[in-house]
Amino acid sequence: MAAAEDSRVLAIASHVVSGYVGNCVTTFVLQVMGLEVSPLNTVQFSNHSGYKQTKGYRTTGAQIKELYEGLKMNGNDDFGMLLTGYIPGAEGVEVVGEIVRNLKERKKVFWLLDPVMGDQGRLYVADDVIPVYKSLLPLADLIVPNQFEAELLSGVKVDSLESLSQALTTLHQTYKVPHVIITSVTFGTSDKKMECAGSTVTSTGSSRKFVVDVSIIDGFFSGTGDMFAALTMARFRAEAEADGLLGTASWMSPDGVDALELPLARAVEKVLGSMHNVLLKTQEVRDRRMATLRAAVPDEALEERARHVRLTKASELRLVQSQRELLDPGDCVKAARLE
Amino acid sequence: MAAAEDSRVLAIASHVVSGYVGNCVTTFVLQVMGLEVSPLNTVQFSNHSGYKQTKGYRTTGAQIKELYEGLKMNGNDDFGMLLTGYIPGAEGVEVVGEIVRNLKERKKVFWLLDPVMGDQGRLYVADDVIPVYKSLLPLADLIVPNQFEAELLSGVKVDSLESLSQALTTLHQTYKVPHVIITSVTFGTSDKKMECAGSTVTSTGSSRKFVVDVSIIDGFFSGTGDMFAALTMARFRAEAEADGLLGTASWMSPDGVDALELPLARAVEKVLGSMHNVLLKTQEVRDRRMATLRAAVPDEALEERARHVRLTKASELRLVQSQRELLDPGDCVKAARLE
C-alpha cells in the first residue's frame, strides 16, 4: 500500500446542493475508488447550470487562499494529488496557481488540471480566465480539455484525426505538459460516435498518441467531464502504481513503453468503460422517469422552461446507484494508435 | 422500491475541506447506503474544530434561504427526508425552521434533527441558539441530542438510568417529538462503557424506551455524532420500510409494537454495530500512524499545540476505508428495555 498521504487528493471545484457536477461528482467517485479527498468548493450553487437557472454564491479568491492557509496550519496539506475543475473568475484561477506552486515547491504533487472554460463553441468563464490558464498549464502533469478547450489552448481547429493529433502535439510542445487527454471530440460526421485521444511524451519530447472510440448516448448529461476527470485521476494512479511509477516525476513511463501500453492509455480505456455503463444506467432511469412524467403531464402542456427543467432533472447522473459500474469498467473499448 | 423522491435527503450541516465532520460524513455515509443526498453546507472550514485552529467562512442565513429558493425553483425540493446538523448562529437555525415548515406544508418529510449545541458540558453555539432550537423541536420527527444537549433541552440532569429514562419522557412530552435518541451518555462510573437510549411514543403519548450499552474506544474522535445521525437516518428508514411504515406520519409503529421490536431500536442496534467497527479501524490506523510519527519525532520534542494537531489528524475517521463496515453492522449489541 502507498503511504497514506500519497493517496490524498485536494479537489478544487464547484459544489451544488442538488445533483451532480464538480466536487459532488469528484468526491464520491474518488471515495468509492478508495482515495481520500479534500473538497475545496469554489462555489455553492443550488444546482448546475444545465437548468439555466440557479442560485447561490461563489467562493472568493481570498477565501480559497485562506482555506489553503488553514490546511497548511494543521499539516493537512500533505496531498499526493491535486484535481482542479471549475473555478469562477481569473482571480480564483490565479490563487489556485499560487497553491499549486506552493505545494510543488515542497513536495511531489501530481496535478490533473481540467481547464474548464467552455464547451461546444460556448465560453462559460470570463475572457480573462484564458490567459491565466495558459500561464498555469506548464505546472500541470495531466490536462483533460474537451474539444473546444483544446482548440482554445492549442490554436488548432480539431476536425479530423490528423488535426486532433496535431492538437495533442501542440499542447505538449507549447505548455510542456507530460500527459494530455482531449475528450468528447466530434468531427460532425457522425452523431453516434465521439473520439477521446491522449498522449504521453517521451524524455525527448515526442508524443505517444492513442485514440479511443466512444459511443454517444443520446441526451444531455451534466457532470460527465467531472466524472471523466475523477475516474482518470483514480485509474491513472492505479495503472502508474502497477508500473512502479508513483515515485517518478509526473508518473512518466520509460521511453520504451509503446503508446498502447501506456498507463494513461490503459486508464482511459477503463474510465470510458465505466462512464459508458454509468451513462447507460442514467439514460435508462431518465427514460423511465420521463415516461411517467409525460403520462401525467404531456410536454405540450408545459412551457418550454418547465419542459427543459424536468428533463434536466431526470438526466442527473445516477452515481449513487452506479458504485459497481465505477469500480468495474466492464468490457472496454481498446485504444488504437494515433499517428 | 420506494419512489425515487422519497429516498432523497436534504442534509444541512457543515463542510470541511480536510477530514470528517458534518456533511463530509453525512454525504458519504448516506451515499454508500444508497440514498440520494443534497448537501447544503452551512460553513466551509479548512478542518473541524477539534484541531483548535481553523480557517474558513460561514454561510449566512440569507444565503441558506437563497439556496433553498434555488432548489424550489427547479423542483429539486422533492425531499423525503431532512437531516440537520451544525448550523452556526440563531439566524441560520431560524431559516432552517422556515425551510422545514415550507417543506412540511407541502408534503410529508421526515426530519431528523441533531440539535448540535455542545458536548461534555461545553456550549459551542451562541446562547441565543438554544431557544430557537427549543421552538423548532415540535416540528422534528426524530431528535438525537447527546447527553449535554438532552440535559439542556429537558432540564433533567442525566446521571443514572432513571434520570436518562426521565429525560426521554420529558423530551417527548415537552416537545411532542415522536422519536428520541440520547447518545453518548456516561454516568461517571465507568470509562469503558456509554449508554445510548431511545424511545418511540405510542398514540396515547406513553414512551417505549430502550437502552444499548456502547463500549468506549479510547481517544477523541470528531464526527462521531454526524456518523451516528447519518447511519440512523439510513437504518431507521430501512427498518421503517421493512415494517411498511414509510407511508405513515413520522414512521410511527402501531401501539402494539414492543420497545425492543421498534424499528428505531433495531436501527440503533445496527448503527452502533457499524460505528463500533468504524471506530476500531480508525483507532488501529491512528495507533499505527502515531507510532511512526513518534518514532521520528517524540511527543516531548513538540510543543503542546503541535502534539495536539498531529494526534487530531491521526484520529480522523477512516470512513473511505470502512465501506464494508458501514453496510454490514456485524454482531450487534442488543437493546434492553428501559423502564
Side-chain angles (χ1 to χ4, degrees):
Chain A
M1 214 183 81
E5 60 271 24
D6 287 339
S7 67
R8 294 190 72 220
V9 185
L10 174 60
I12 304 181
S14 57
H15 172 81
V16 288
V17 177
S18 182
Y20 295 94
V21 295
N23 271 343
C24 292
V25 172
T26 304
T27 305
F28 185 66
V29 169
L30 291 178
Q31 286 177 330
V32 165
M33 310 289 281
L35 297 175
E36 288 283 350
V37 194
S38 294
L40 195 163
N41 297 330
T42 56
V43 306
Q44 178 164 231
F45 288 159
S46 55
N47 50 269
H48 63 69
S49 61
Y51 287 86
K52 297 185 184 166
Q53 47 186 14
T54 184
K55 289 185 183 276
Y57 59 90
R58 298 168 169 204
T59 311
T60 65
Q63 287 173 329
I64 294 175
K65 202 171 195 162
E66 203 195 341
L67 286 167
Y68 179 65
E69 291 305 319
L71 294 174
K72 278 172 69 168
M73 185 168 70
N74 292 311
N76 279 323
D77 59 334
D78 54 347
F79 301 104
M81 291 162 278
L82 175 64
L83 193 162
T84 60
Y86 178 68
I87 304 158
E91 185 211 5
V93 180
E94 268 164 14
V95 168
V96 169
E98 286 170 36
I99 291 174
V100 176
R101 280 191 197 92
N102 189 272
L103 280 170
K104 289 211 171 211
E105 262 166 35
R106 293 178 295 137
K107 71 184 290 263
K108 197 169 52 61
V109 180
F110 189 98
W111 184 18
L112 193 171
L113 190 176
D114 186 358
V116 180
M117 296 188 291
D119 201 6
Q120 300 177 340
R122 198 173 64 85
L123 203 63
Y124 39 66
V125 292
D127 282 338
D128 61 353
V129 168
I130 306 173
V132 185
Y133 266 123
K134 285 183 173 175
S135 74
L136 294 179
L137 256 53
L139 289 168
D141 300 284
L142 165 60
I143 59 172
V144 294
N146 59 30
Q147 181 174 13
F148 174 68
E149 291 154 351
E151 289 177 341
L152 266 181
L153 294 170
S154 69
V156 176
K157 170 83 189 152
V158 175
D159 54 8
S160 63
L161 283 175
E162 294 68 33
S163 53
L164 176 57
S165 174
Q166 184 54 51
L168 285 171
T169 304
T170 304
L171 289 170
H172 280 308
Q173 288 178 348
T174 312
Y175 302 105
K176 309 294 172 214
V177 190
H179 310 279
V180 177
I181 304 172
I182 304 179
T183 66
S184 318
V185 177
T186 52
F187 301 139
T189 49
S190 160
D191 55 358
K192 299 236 184 309
K193 203 177 73 138
M194 290 191 297
E195 307 297 334
C196 176
S199 163
T200 295
V201 288
T202 64
S203 62
T204 55
S206 72
S207 44
R208 292 171 272 190
K209 292 177 253 192
F210 59 89
V211 62
V212 188
D213 280 350
V214 183
S215 316
I216 291 185
I217 292 178
D218 84 275
F220 186 79
F221 305 103
S222 292
T224 53
D226 304 302
M227 176 164 54
F228 182 88
L231 280 168
T232 297
M233 181 88 264
R235 289 287 177 195
F236 188 28
R237 182 182 188 280
E239 297 296 332
E241 188 172 27
D243 283 14
L245 299 173
L246 291 191
T248 67
S250 300
W251 306 346
M252 286 296 292
S253 297
D255 290 353
V257 177
D258 179 71
L260 302 186
E261 297 305 321
L262 288 170
L264 192 68
R266 283 147 37 203
V268 167
E269 289 169 350
K270 290 182 176 158
V271 168
L272 294 172
S274 284
M275 283 193 60
H276 184 71
N277 292 327
V278 174
L279 289 176
L280 279 183
K281 183 172 276 190
T282 299
Q283 181 189 43
E284 194 186 300
V285 176
R286 178 200 66 193
D287 290 347
R288 209 165 50 228
R289 296 231 175 139
M290 288 311 295
T292 310
L293 291 170
R294 285 176 178 140
V297 183
D299 272 355
E300 306 77 62
L302 290 174
E303 283 179 28
E304 198 198 324
R305 196 175 60 86
R307 216 157 53 218
H308 173 76
V309 164
R310 77 175 188 180
L311 177 62
T312 303
K313 181 163 155 55
S315 306
E316 290 278 7
L317 292 178
R318 300 297 146 196
L319 272 191
V320 168
Q321 299 79 0
S322 300
Q323 296 178 46
R324 194 176 50 77
E325 286 79 0
L326 294 171
L327 289 167
D328 172 11
D331 294 328
C332 298
V333 178
K334 289 287 164 198
R337 202 175 306 280
L338 178 66
E339 301 297 343
Chain B
M1 212 183 80
E5 60 271 24
D6 287 338
S7 67
R8 294 190 72 219
V9 185
L10 174 60
I12 304 181
S14 57
H15 172 82
V16 289
V17 178
S18 182
Y20 295 95
V21 294
N23 271 342
C24 292
V25 173
T26 304
T27 306
F28 184 66
V29 169
L30 292 178
Q31 286 178 330
V32 166
M33 310 288 282
L35 297 176
E36 288 283 350
V37 194
S38 294
L40 194 163
N41 298 330
T42 56
V43 307
Q44 178 163 230
F45 288 160
S46 55
N47 51 268
H48 63 69
S49 60
Y51 287 85
K52 296 185 184 166
Q53 48 185 14
T54 184
K55 288 184 183 278
Y57 59 90
R58 297 168 170 203
T59 310
T60 65
Q63 287 172 328
I64 295 175
K65 202 171 195 162
E66 201 193 342
L67 287 168
Y68 179 66
E69 291 304 319
L71 294 174
K72 278 172 69 168
M73 185 168 71
N74 291 312
N76 278 323
D77 60 335
D78 55 347
F79 301 105
M81 291 162 277
L82 175 64
L83 194 162
T84 61
Y86 178 67
I87 304 158
E91 184 210 6
V93 181
E94 269 164 12
V95 169
V96 169
E98 287 170 34
I99 292 174
V100 176
R101 280 193 197 91
N102 189 273
L103 281 170
K104 290 211 170 211
E105 263 165 35
R106 293 177 296 138
K107 72 184 287 266
K108 196 169 52 62
V109 179
F110 189 98
W111 184 17
L112 193 170
L113 191 175
D114 186 358
V116 180
M117 296 189 290
D119 201 4
Q120 299 177 341
R122 199 173 65 83
L123 203 64
Y124 39 68
V125 292
D127 281 338
D128 60 353
V129 168
I130 306 173
V132 184
Y133 266 123
K134 286 184 173 175
S135 75
L136 295 180
L137 257 53
L139 289 168
D141 300 284
L142 164 60
I143 59 171
V144 294
N146 60 30
Q147 181 173 14
F148 174 69
E149 291 154 352
E151 290 176 342
L152 266 181
L153 294 171
S154 69
V156 176
K157 171 83 189 152
V158 174
D159 54 7
S160 63
L161 283 175
E162 293 69 33
S163 53
L164 176 56
S165 174
Q166 183 54 51
L168 286 171
T169 303
T170 304
L171 289 169
H172 279 309
Q173 289 178 347
T174 312
Y175 303 105
K176 309 292 172 217
V177 190
H179 310 278
V180 176
I181 303 172
I182 304 180
T183 66
S184 317
V185 177
T186 53
F187 301 138
T189 49
S190 161
D191 56 357
K192 299 234 184 310
K193 205 178 71 140
M194 290 191 297
E195 308 297 333
C196 176
S199 163
T200 294
V201 287
T202 63
S203 62
T204 55
S206 71
S207 45
R208 292 171 272 190
K209 292 178 253 190
F210 59 88
V211 62
V212 189
D213 279 350
V214 184
S215 316
I216 291 185
I217 293 177
D218 85 275
F220 186 80
F221 305 103
S222 292
T224 52
D226 304 302
M227 177 165 51
F228 182 87
L231 280 168
T232 298
M233 181 88 264
R235 290 287 178 196
F236 188 28
R237 182 182 187 281
E239 298 296 333
E241 187 172 26
D243 283 13
L245 300 173
L246 291 190
T248 67
S250 301
W251 305 347
M252 287 296 291
S253 296
D255 289 353
V257 177
D258 178 71
L260 301 186
E261 297 305 320
L262 287 170
L264 192 69
R266 283 146 38 201
V268 167
E269 289 170 349
K270 289 181 178 161
V271 168
L272 294 172
S274 283
M275 283 194 60
H276 184 71
N277 292 328
V278 174
L279 289 175
L280 279 182
K281 183 171 275 191
T282 299
Q283 180 190 43
E284 194 187 298
V285 177
R286 178 200 65 193
D287 290 348
R288 210 166 50 229
R289 295 231 175 138
M290 288 312 294
T292 310
L293 290 170
R294 285 177 177 139
V297 183
D299 273 356
E300 306 77 63
L302 290 175
E303 283 179 29
E304 198 198 324
R305 196 175 60 86
R307 216 157 53 217
H308 173 76
V309 163
R310 79 176 185 178
L311 177 62
T312 303
K313 180 163 153 60
S315 305
E316 290 278 7
L317 292 178
R318 299 297 146 197
L319 272 191
V320 168
Q321 298 79 0
S322 300
Q323 296 178 46
R324 196 176 48 78
E325 286 79 1
L326 293 171
L327 288 167
D328 173 10
D331 294 327
C332 298
V333 178
K334 289 287 164 199
R337 200 177 307 280
L338 178 67
E339 301 298 343

